[in-house]
Amino acid sequence: MYIDKIRNFSIIAHIDHGKSTLADRLLEYTNTVTKREMKEQILDDMDLERERGITIKSHPIRMEYEFAPGDKYILNLIDTPGHVDFSYEVSRALAACEGALLVVDATQGIEAQTLSTLYQALDNNLHIIPVINKIDLPNEQREKVTKEIISLIGCQRNEIITVSAKTGHGVENLLQEIVVQIPPPKGDPEKPLQALIFDSTFDNYRGAVPHIRVVNGRIKSNDKIFMFSNSLLFDVTEVGYLKLKKEPQKELLAGEVGYVMASIRNVKDTRVGDTITTVENKAEKPLPGYRPAKSMVFAGLYPVNSDNYTLLRDALDKLKLNDSSLIYEPETSKALGFGFRCGFLGLLHMEIIQERLSREHNIEIITTVPNVAYIIYNVRGEKITIDNPSKLPASNEIERLEEPFIRCQIVTPSDYIGNIMHLCMDRRGINTEMEYIDNSRVNLNFEFPLVEIIFDFYDRLKTISRGYASMDYEFLEYRPSKLKKLDILLNGDVVDALSMIVHRDKTYYWGKKLVEKLRKLIPRQMYEVVIQAAIGSKAIARESVKALRKNVTAKCYGGDITRKRKLLDKQKEGKKRMKRVGRVDIPQEAFLAILSLDDED
Amino acid sequence: MESENLYLYIHIPFCNSKCPYCSFYSITDHTEELHKIYINTVIKELELYNPLLDFKSRILKSIYIGGGTPSILSEKNLDFILKNIHSLFPGDENTEITIEGNPESLNYENLNFYKNSGINRLSLGLQSSMDKNLRTLGRNHRLSEINNILSIIKELNFPSVSVDFIYNIPGQTMDDLKKEFEFIKIYKPEHLSFYGLSIEENTPFCSLYKNYDAQEELYNNMYMEISEKLLSMGYEHYEISNFALPGHGCRHNMAYWDFSEYLGLGPSASSYIDEKRFKNSSSIKDYINNIKNKNLAINNPEKRNNEDLLLEKIFLGLRTKSGINLEGLCREYNLNLQELRDKIKYYIPETLWICSDNELSLTTEGFLLSNTITVEVFNLFQTSGIYRK
């Protein structure tokens, strides 16, 4: 049967362990791409991804492989993003596969980032093929890494494949093993259609294009389809395979991976994890694992130059086409003018959006302090959700304040348990479980207020565990907390964009840290800048930036005006990037000061 | 801005030793042979500009011979330069002719020659009257030699003498300044340049005194003291670093600040002609080669746009006591004058500037922040009303 010739798999790897290069090699060896067409790391679409060394958008690709003369197989490679902000997307991409290549760098061994995805893969019952890469390097330690792998996943020694993606050594063998070891998909093309959406892209002419794994049934042009998550109906205009370019097909059958075009105007109508079925022969139930999108982190985005408001709005509209998890709506700030309140999956997501705005749309923006959404029950019994700290009602109006809590899982070598427990306690974490995975690694379960995680928790965790710990989290519930609004004043004026909601026991801590950091970030200027942190009308911390008294080019003769002017050019460009609030010039970094505060552990 | 006037600068890139704080171009390995080739090249360069600038139609307002160390050039060579210049321009009794000299290389012979050849302004690179400061600065002359030269200068009756001083020297105290003032009182030079020591990149001082510029308070105190004291001695503080007795401002330097046309000859020399700025390369070898091939620097003017021009106008204008004409600039850039004045009042502390009759100029305290204020005023221009780009 055709379905026996299909292999759907993903590649799990730590940053820089060679996932992209290996993918390139597979494309090459299956002649999916000719040597001439090969551009380095063809699957990574964006420069941003290249720079950060992570894959953000997946890009599935279908390869044809001749296992033996006349015996052809279809190999569908589905790429996965590698950051905790996107763990839901990862889980859905893995749900579309039957196997995964676990790629480990022969000189580095198993690293933390791999673990979380590996466990998800194991949870999804994927068959894992361990691959040791970079054996061409002189300092490779394949024996040591082999032992680590065996200890981690309990496989046999002969199941581990060694390759060098760079030279191509072992790649042919790997292809053979993919066919031999990874099971074919199970599914019945005659049953009612159930297709899993594991990703989608946006095409300016065709609208949203979901990438699907057909689990049961079949889908073809002119089918009327139904989305389980939102009950929307669409008419299919085209289906096809995803090779380097889209290849239209008559139909897609159970077990196959491909795309669907159905004139879907709004990208938010295609939800990752959703199930597609046909109207005529509707499936009884959707596939398991669907979760609606949830923004975890909110921030105000404002253009540095207020004239660019419309440009910002247009840019956000364009970004949203490719990123359905971004939400935004207009808001105003006394300090910053007109802007947008945006919701993100996490801080990394927020940083990506910021960089894309700057790079792809050339807009300099100010981002306010990121925050979470709070639920307030006021004295009149009304329930209000606020996603902007400046909208917090006066304390005498508030009956009860609730903040979102998450369930968090941290996997770490046992050496670092002490430091990590300390960090988590510091962040109001409650340890709910601790279990040993193997004799050196432990899985810690915590419940945290989400707000304690969104600021530099991940980075701190990495630092104190020397990069070995990894984490994953999901929303748990809202719980009441004793919280206060912390205001920042510059020369006596509240700068609403710098306000934060903090826990009552930490107001002094955050207040002091913030004003100290701001003092370092706000440059000296003609007027002294007095920085205060306040709760209500009470100032709790204070710093000042003393007035600048000297900035002069003493010598200006000899006629070389241009050289002297260049210094002024620099100063004038610097000023353009600052936001003026009252008489104070504030650099963009100051608005994000909170993100780079040092913890004294 | 005057259109028929021309100001001439000639660079003499030769020194006997390099001062550790100096960033002007010069070489210490030179011969009389090279001097001869050099002066011929300079005159050749000048002649090459004649078709474009039409010297006979110009009023030569100043000739400034700087360096390097112009006073080590032989009288014969200097004479060659001056005679050739004079032959190209119409005669003018009023041309300000300045030569820079350092005490080590000045003597009765050359000073006398300068006087007789029509040089009417002497610029002395003294830097300090105190031996300890001279040592710190790596200068080879001492107070005793200076006194000698100065008495010769007095004897020869030069119409205008300018003396350069450096302050904020490592090890120099507020008290030490008194010694400089005493010196000035005795010799009463017509013109003074007081430069706060700034550490320039690629000079030996740069690695020695890395964080020196951070000494804001002492620098400022010295500057205020110098201005106040010199004012009381009858000097006008007419530019950030320049002071003059009435009628003795340096005409040549004023050209740099008021957008007059000036031509700079020799390697590293800068020019402003026809609203273009251009500069010769800082290499004698390349310079001689270029002139041989008739390759003039005006063919590679610096890229400037309207924004740059506005910034220059504000930058250069605010360096002088007369400041910038807000009314004129507002008309030119189509801005509301009152709105601009209100903004200046709000954003720039009042102790730093004066605005009378719509001329905006800086106070002494303001001079110390002239870069910041320049950028601020520029910023206010850009963000006010309709800014014509």
Side-chain angles (χ1 to χ4, degrees):
Chain A
M1 267 222 44
Y2 78 92
I3 203 172
D4 299 319
K5 300 290 188 186
I6 299 176
R7 302 289 183 269
N8 298 321
F9 67 101
S10 184
I11 303 181
I12 300 170
H14 193 77
I15 297 171
D16 282 343
H17 277 210
K19 166 158 64 154
S20 298
T21 320
L22 184 59
D24 288 348
R25 277 295 89 67
L26 294 176
L27 291 177
E28 204 185 302
Y29 275 57
T30 54
N31 292 314
T32 311
V33 172
T34 63
K35 268 237 156 74
R36 251 187 305 126
E37 286 168 324
M38 175 68 74
K39 270 186 292 196
E40 277 286 331
Q41 308 199 338
I42 210 164
L43 290 184
D44 276 347
D45 262 318
M46 299 195 287
D47 289 325
L48 192 49
E49 300 175 353
R50 246 184 279 264
E51 271 174 38
R52 294 228 176 203
I54 50 179
T55 314
I56 297 163
K57 284 294 266 181
S58 343
H59 186 348
I61 193 151
R62 176 188 165 96
M63 302 178 273
E64 277 178 27
Y65 175 57
E66 193 155 13
F67 178 67
D71 195 8
K72 292 207 177 102
Y73 282 80
I74 304 295
L75 307 183
N76 289 311
L77 169 59
I78 296 172
D79 216 0
T80 56
H83 188 275
V84 67
D85 279 5
F86 304 106
S87 66
Y88 174 67
E89 279 72 11
V90 171
S91 77
R92 294 306 84 208
L94 290 175
C97 305
E98 278 74 43
L101 308 183
L102 174 67
V103 176
V104 183
D105 184 328
T107 65
Q108 305 279 348
I110 298 206
E111 296 219 55
Q113 209 211 6
T114 350
L115 289 179
S116 172
T117 320
L118 176 62
Y119 289 131
Q120 276 185 314
L122 292 170
D123 283 347
N124 273 290
N125 290 315
L126 265 55
H127 179 87
I128 311 290
I129 298 182
V131 178
I132 301 182
N133 188 21
K134 302 199 189 178
I135 55 170
D136 56 298
L137 290 177
N139 54 334
E140 57 96 355
Q141 300 182 316
R142 70 181 89 178
E143 187 50 42
K144 179 163 172 281
V145 177
T146 301
K147 287 205 177 83
E148 271 184 34
I149 294 176
I150 294 174
S151 160
L152 185 65
I153 64 176
C155 62
Q156 306 283 17
R157 183 174 283 266
N158 60 4
E159 287 174 328
I160 301 177
I161 317 291
T162 53
V163 302
S164 162
K166 193 156 126 194
T167 66
H169 177 101
V171 174
E172 188 68 47
N173 182 36
L174 177 59
L175 283 163
Q176 300 265 308
E177 291 298 322
I178 289 172
V179 171
V180 167
Q181 288 191 41
I182 295 179
K186 286 192 179 39
D188 187 351
E190 305 312 323
K191 284 207 178 124
L193 173 67
Q194 279 175 310
L196 173 71
I197 301 179
F198 63 87
D199 190 14
S200 80
T201 59
F202 189 86
D203 181 297
N204 272 315
Y205 298 105
R206 316 296 203 96
V209 180
H211 295 173
I212 58 172
R213 155 70 200 279
V214 183
V215 176
N216 283 309
R218 57 183 75 209
I219 182 171
K220 61 187 187 304
S221 296
N222 296 320
D223 278 349
K224 217 182 189 68
I225 56 174
F226 170 84
M227 309 279 204
F228 268 98
S229 74
N230 51 26
S231 304
L232 290 176
L233 304 172
F234 296 98
D235 289 312
V236 179
T237 58
E238 184 182 309
V239 301
Y241 297 141
L242 290 152
K243 292 186 139 164
L244 276 192
K245 295 237 151 71
K246 295 186 175 65
E247 222 182 66
Q249 298 294 321
K250 193 168 133 254
E251 57 182 359
L252 293 175
L253 303 172
E256 293 191 311
V257 171
Y259 68 90
V260 174
M261 287 187 188
S263 305
I264 303 169
R265 294 264 171 73
N266 279 317
V267 76
K268 61 176 161 48
D269 292 338
T270 67
R271 271 292 297 153
V272 166
D274 198 0
T275 306
I276 297 178
T277 189
T278 49
V279 172
E280 261 193 35
N281 192 6
K282 222 186 201 159
E284 235 183 80
K285 285 193 305 225
L287 297 161
Y290 173 72
R291 225 168 68 193
K294 192 152 178 66
S295 297
M296 298 292 232
V297 166
F298 297 85
L301 255 57
Y302 291 80
V304 172
N305 184 346
S306 357
D307 293 334
N308 284 338
Y309 176 79
T310 1
L311 280 173
L312 176 59
R313 188 194 57 208
D314 291 341
L316 285 170
D317 287 344
K318 289 205 178 75
L319 284 181
K320 191 169 168 80
L321 293 180
N322 253 311
D323 184 349
S324 58
S325 44
L326 170 68
I327 66 173
Y328 54 94
E329 56 182 35
E331 80 167 8
T332 55
S333 145
K334 235 180 82 178
L336 303 177
F338 292 98
F340 294 90
R341 174 100 333 213
C342 304
F344 308 96
L345 294 177
L347 271 192
L348 176 67
H349 189 202
M350 184 182 91
E351 283 168 35
I352 291 167
I353 296 296
Q354 275 176 277
E355 288 203 43
R356 291 186 70 185
L357 282 170
S358 171
R359 241 187 264 223
E360 293 171 31
H361 299 271
N362 262 314
I363 305 177
E364 292 302 321
I365 51 164
I366 301 259
T367 318
T368 65
V369 181
N371 57 267
V372 299
Y374 294 89
I375 292 181
I376 294 158
Y377 293 91
N378 67 13
V379 291
R380 287 182 292 282
E382 292 164 324
K383 175 181 172 185
I384 324 169
T385 309
I386 62 157
D387 55 16
N388 181 343
S390 14
K391 299 234 164 58
L392 192 70
S395 16
N396 54 9
E397 292 257 319
I398 301 175
E399 174 73 47
R400 190 166 88 245
L401 191 60
E402 292 186 353
E403 60 174 332
F405 271 72
I406 54 161
R407 185 178 16 234
C408 179
Q409 166 176 317
I410 298 174
V411 174
T412 175
S414 49
D415 294 340
Y416 305 108
I417 295 179
N419 286 345
I420 292 177
M421 293 293 260
H422 189 98
L423 172 67
C424 295
M425 300 308 191
D426 207 42
R427 303 296 181 101
R428 299 193 279 142
I430 305 162
N431 183 213
T432 55
E433 208 178 316
M434 174 156 92
E435 55 166 347
Y436 275 83
I437 302 169
D438 57 38
N439 57 4
S440 65
R441 249 178 284 250
V442 71
N443 181 13
L444 301 164
N445 276 355
F446 278 91
E447 287 174 5
F448 280 105
L450 175 61
V451 71
E452 297 284 349
I453 297 300
I454 60 176
F455 302 137
D456 83 336
F457 177 83
Y458 187 68
D459 292 331
R460 285 292 306 157
L461 181 70
K462 288 294 191 186
T463 308
I464 63 178
S465 67
R466 301 228 238 125
Y468 284 104
S470 64
M471 67 177 258
D472 195 3
Y473 63 84
E474 59 183 25
F475 174 73
L476 182 58
E477 63 187 0
Y478 271 87
R479 291 182 188 169
S481 272
K482 300 219 175 352
L483 303 166
K484 294 261 175 205
K485 178 159 165 258
L486 181 68
D487 283 324
I488 299 293
L489 291 84
L490 294 180
N491 286 346
D493 295 323
V494 174
V495 181
D496 59 3
L498 290 170
S499 299
M500 292 175 54
I501 294 177
V502 299
H503 191 262
R504 183 189 60 180
D505 297 339
K506 288 191 157 184
T507 54
Y508 182 66
Y509 172 81
W510 285 112
K512 188 160 183 296
K513 287 234 122 139
L514 255 184
V515 300
E516 278 170 3
K517 186 71 185 189
L518 286 170
R519 183 181 61 81
K520 293 191 193 133
L521 290 175
I522 294 177
R524 290 178 70 194
Q525 29 206 288
M526 288 186 282
Y527 285 99
E528 182 188 30
V529 182
V530 175
I531 310 166
Q532 289 170 295
I535 305 283
S537 56
K538 179 159 169 259
I540 59 171
R542 183 191 197 279
E543 291 281 341
S544 65
V545 178
K546 63 176 191 176
L548 182 67
R549 293 193 51 225
K550 172 178 172 273
N551 180 11
V552 58
T553 305
K555 277 190 266 192
C556 186
Y557 58 79
D560 190 359
I561 306 298
T562 307
R563 197 163 69 94
K564 304 290 174 175
R565 200 200 68 228
K566 293 242 193 294
L567 172 63
L568 290 171
D569 283 339
K570 257 174 59 187
Q571 294 185 11
K572 127 186 158 234
E573 290 305 314
K575 210 179 178 68
K576 278 190 191 157
R577 276 181 271 117
M578 295 207 252
K579 191 73 183 182
R580 188 163 254 189
V581 178
R583 278 196 255 222
V584 184
D585 284 328
I586 310 174
Q588 294 175 34
E589 304 84 76
F591 288 93
L592 292 173
I594 181 105
L595 295 179
S596 54
L597 294 182
D598 299 320
D599 263 27
E600 271 121 37
D601 255 31
Chain B
M1 204 172 100
E2 312 144 314
S3 49
E4 312 163 302
N5 294 332
L6 186 65
Y7 298 73
L8 209 58
Y9 174 80
I10 298 106
H11 192 63
I12 307 297
F14 307 119
C15 286
N16 286 330
S17 64
K18 288 291 274 181
C19 299
Y21 53 83
C22 176
S23 64
F24 284 110
Y25 173 69
S26 73
I27 59 172
T28 51
D29 185 15
H30 50 95
T31 59
E32 176 58 37
E33 173 88 42
L34 180 59
H35 288 197
K36 260 181 95 182
I37 298 171
Y38 183 75
I39 58 170
N40 275 291
T41 314
V42 164
I43 297 305
K44 206 175 297 170
E45 184 187 7
L46 181 62
E47 285 166 350
L48 285 171
Y49 277 103
N50 203 358
L52 172 68
L53 300 178
D54 190 15
F55 295 151
K56 286 296 181 197
S57 73
R58 299 280 189 153
I59 302 172
L60 186 61
K61 300 292 282 182
S62 75
I63 303 171
Y64 194 106
I65 306 166
T69 313
S71 45
I72 64 176
L73 204 61
S74 72
E75 278 111 77
K76 190 160 149 244
N77 287 334
L78 183 59
D79 194 46
F80 176 84
I81 294 177
L82 288 173
K83 285 221 160 67
N84 272 288
I85 293 175
H86 286 308
S87 71
L88 287 166
F89 287 88
D92 193 332
E93 305 290 305
N94 272 327
T95 311
E96 176 194 84
I97 307 180
T98 311
I99 189 163
E100 279 177 359
N102 72 10
E104 293 106 272
S105 54
L106 289 172
N107 50 53
Y108 182 84
E109 282 72 37
N110 54 22
L111 283 168
N112 190 31
F113 174 78
Y114 298 159
K115 178 92 203 294
N116 292 334
S117 60
I119 292 177
N120 47 35
R121 212 172 158 270
L122 196 62
S123 178
L124 222 59
L126 186 69
Q127 318 312 353
S128 176
S129 67
M130 289 181 75
D131 284 352
K132 79 162 185 186
N133 291 333
L134 292 171
R135 244 176 269 125
T136 310
L137 291 172
R139 295 305 299 265
N140 291 324
H141 58 268
R142 296 290 172 259
L143 186 59
S144 49
E145 294 151 334
I146 298 163
N147 287 332
N148 188 28
I149 298 297
L150 283 165
S151 51
I152 299 173
I153 291 171
K154 204 163 178 155
E155 203 189 299
L156 289 169
N157 222 351
F158 268 89
S160 204
V161 176
S162 175
V163 180
D164 281 3
F165 282 91
I166 296 181
Y167 65 94
N168 193 35
I169 302 167
Q172 184 188 37
T173 64
M174 281 298 288
D175 237 36
D176 288 340
L177 279 181
K178 293 198 173 76
K179 288 277 180 334
E180 317 290 28
F181 299 141
E182 275 164 30
F183 178 92
I184 293 168
K185 231 192 205 132
I186 297 171
Y187 290 104
K188 257 320 182 44
E190 283 78 15
H191 185 280
L192 294 161
S193 296
F194 263 88
Y195 298 111
L197 184 64
S198 64
I199 307 299
E200 304 276 356
E201 272 176 11
N202 301 319
T203 61
F205 258 30
C206 185
S207 39
L208 274 178
Y209 297 109
K210 270 199 254 284
N211 285 317
Y212 197 65
D213 281 339
Q215 283 200 19
E216 188 183 86
E217 203 173 326
L218 183 60
Y219 185 107
N220 283 12
N221 288 341
M222 284 190 172
Y223 183 75
M224 299 298 287
E225 173 77 4
I226 289 163
S227 178
E228 204 183 297
K229 201 75 175 88
L230 293 182
L231 219 73
S232 74
M233 289 203 259
Y235 290 90
E236 189 193 336
H237 189 172
Y238 76 97
E239 190 265 2
I240 292 179
S241 305
N242 287 287
F243 303 81
L245 295 177
H248 286 271
C250 177
R251 192 193 292 173
H252 185 84
N253 282 344
M254 283 303 294
Y256 297 142
W257 307 318
D258 72 8
F259 289 86
S260 299
E261 291 205 323
Y262 54 90
L263 183 64
L265 308 170
S268 81
S270 300
S271 309
Y272 181 64
I273 301 286
D274 211 7
E275 295 182 357
K276 299 204 243 308
R277 293 195 189 277
F278 49 94
K279 186 177 150 122
N280 280 331
S281 87
S282 297
S283 148
I284 294 179
K285 197 160 142 234
D286 290 345
Y287 170 70
I288 294 175
N289 227 13
N290 282 336
I291 301 306
K292 204 191 310 188
N293 296 326
K294 301 203 169 109
N295 191 4
L296 295 176
I298 197 172
N299 297 325
N300 287 316
E302 284 150 12
K303 283 196 177 58
R304 274 156 79 237
N305 57 34
N306 283 329
E307 242 188 54
D308 296 329
L309 179 61
L310 175 60
L311 187 61
E312 280 175 12
K313 284 186 185 164
I314 300 170
F315 169 50
L316 297 173
L318 289 179
R319 291 190 70 86
T320 64
K321 188 159 163 232
S322 48
I324 56 175
N325 184 315
L326 282 183
E327 192 174 2
L329 283 172
C330 280
R331 238 180 300 122
E332 191 182 335
Y333 288 92
N334 211 3
L335 299 177
N336 183 310
L337 176 61
Q338 191 52 45
E339 192 186 320
L340 186 65
R341 288 189 60 150
D342 289 339
K343 284 197 179 171
I344 290 172
K345 206 161 176 183
Y346 181 71
Y347 286 108
I348 309 178
E350 295 194 349
T351 54
L352 303 177
W353 53 272
I354 307 166
C355 189
S356 59
D357 278 337
N358 294 317
E359 299 279 335
L360 176 72
S361 63
L362 303 184
T363 60
T364 315
E365 201 185 323
F367 274 152
L368 284 167
L369 278 168
S370 67
N371 285 348
T372 307
I373 297 172
T374 296
V375 172
E376 182 60 55
V377 172
F378 175 81
N379 183 45
L380 293 178
F381 265 80
Q382 294 236 283
T383 55
S384 298
I386 316 150
Y387 170 61
R388 216 198 308 142
K389 291 213 193 289

